[in-house]
Amino acid sequence: MFSYVQNYYAMGLYTTDDLATLKNGGMITLDEYNQLIGDTTPDSQSTSESTS
């Protein structure tokens, strides 16, 4: 499943919000999620934070 998610994310078909949903649903692990979004901190829960 991870390879499909990885490909879809690379193509822009999945957003970071989609990845969070897949993680919360148990379709990908926290490690896989962090690998996709490029976050290496162990307990990261945020997908994207922006400052104005």
Side-chain angles (χ1 to χ4, degrees), residues 2-20:
F2 177 68
S3 62
Y4 291 108
V5 173
Q6 188 175 33
N7 287 336
Y8 279 33
Y9 185 63
M11 290 188 290
L13 300 175
Y14 282 163
T15 65
T16 53
D17 289 337
D18 295 323
L19 296 179

